[in-house]
Amino acid sequence: MAGVQKARREETRRQILAAAAVLMEEGGLRALQIRAVAERAGYSVGSVYKHFADLDALVVAVNSGTLVRIRDAMTAATEGVSAPLERLKALAATYLRFARDNVNLWRGLFDHHLPGGKSIPEEHRQENVVLLSFIGREIHALDPGLDENALAARTRTCFAAVHGVVAISLEDRFVGLADDTLPAEMDFLVERLAGH
């Protein structure tokens, strides 16, 4: 009986989380409200709160799911690619494609901020570390002489540079790149960041 109840709880949580992800995908962070999630999932507001302490916890859970989707896309994009520079280019292209195809979920990763005093759950932090490790592994292959601190800094610099180009371009900023030039310029940026 306990196993059935646990499975039922996990399924309820999964459905609530799926409904929240759909709402964010459709309307962005502003669309993610507890009452709307409950209605979309077909549960009471109390059921949502039973699984997620507050809206922040729900947003973090949706964002963790988004990070897993990015990780899976990056894993698939680099399968069969052996050269580190080409793998870095594939990672950047995948990040751009994911952001373009899932703009509201992607923005949710950066637009949500926990209120003061709340710390990011370790599971969510680890999802971020995993994504950075994709980049770090290739940078280390290209420049094995970097010590641990230098590698960490270079990895974050590379991510920040690629993210910045993607963000500025997707937000239609004056200095952003048009869709027809963005992929080639991303390759150019990755080559320069990798020292080629």
Side-chain angles (χ1 to χ4, degrees), residues 69-71 73-74 77 87-107 109-110 131 135 158-159 161-172 176-190:
R69 287 179 59 186
I70 295 171
R71 181 196 67 205
M74 287 182 166
R87 289 173 66 87
L88 274 176
K89 288 180 182 180
L91 292 173
T94 300
Y95 185 75
L96 168 61
R97 191 167 36 257
F98 185 90
R100 213 185 247 158
D101 294 346
N102 305 278
V103 69
N104 286 331
L105 288 173
W106 173 76
R107 282 189 176 136
L109 291 170
F110 303 97
L131 288 184
I135 302 165
C158 288
F159 172 76
V162 168
H163 173 76
V165 170
V166 171
I168 287 170
S169 297
L170 292 185
E171 291 171 3
D172 288 330
L177 297 165
D179 282 350
D180 59 340
T181 59
L182 190 49
E185 290 304 308
M186 290 286 277
D187 281 351
F188 168 82
L189 175 63
V190 170

Side-chain angles (χ1 to χ4, degrees), residues 13 16-18 20-21 24 32 51-52 54-68 109 112 114 121 123-124 127:
R13 186 182 192 283
I16 290 169
L17 192 52
M24 190 184 294
L32 202 56
H51 293 277
F52 299 95
D54 54 25
L55 184 59
D56 287 315
L58 184 55
V59 172
V60 168
V62 170
N63 284 344
S64 288
T66 300
L67 292 171
V68 169
L109 291 170
H112 179 254
L114 288 171
E123 177 184 304
H124 186 69
E127 288 297 342

Side-chain angles (χ1 to χ4, degrees), residues 133-157:
S133 73
F134 277 88
I135 302 165
R137 187 169 42 241
E138 306 312 327
I139 292 171
H140 184 264
L142 289 165
D143 192 352
L146 290 174
D147 67 30
E148 188 176 328
N149 290 334
L151 178 61
R154 184 71 45 83
T155 298
R156 289 170 183 258
T157 298

Side-chain angles (χ1 to χ4, degrees), residues 4-99:
V4 172
Q5 288 177 337
K6 182 181 179 195
R8 198 174 290 149
R9 277 194 309 271
E10 288 173 356
E11 178 59 17
T12 300
R13 186 182 192 283
R14 189 196 65 73
Q15 288 180 7
I16 290 169
L17 192 52
V22 168
L23 283 169
M24 190 184 294
E25 201 163 6
E26 291 174 353
L29 199 53
R30 279 190 226 141
L32 202 56
Q33 301 298 321
I34 296 291
R35 188 168 299 286
V37 171
E39 185 178 314
R40 176 66 67 103
Y43 291 101
S44 69
V45 168
S47 292
V48 176
Y49 280 118
K50 191 183 290 185
H51 293 277
F52 299 95
D54 54 25
L55 184 59
D56 287 315
L58 184 55
V59 172
V60 168
V62 170
N63 284 344
S64 288
T66 300
L67 292 171
V68 169
R69 287 179 59 186
I70 295 171
R71 181 196 67 205
D72 291 347
M74 287 182 166
T75 299
T78 54
E79 285 178 2
V81 181
S82 58
L85 180 58
E86 295 309 310
R87 289 173 66 87
L88 274 176
K89 288 180 182 180
L91 292 173
T94 300
Y95 185 75
L96 168 61
R97 191 167 36 257
F98 185 90

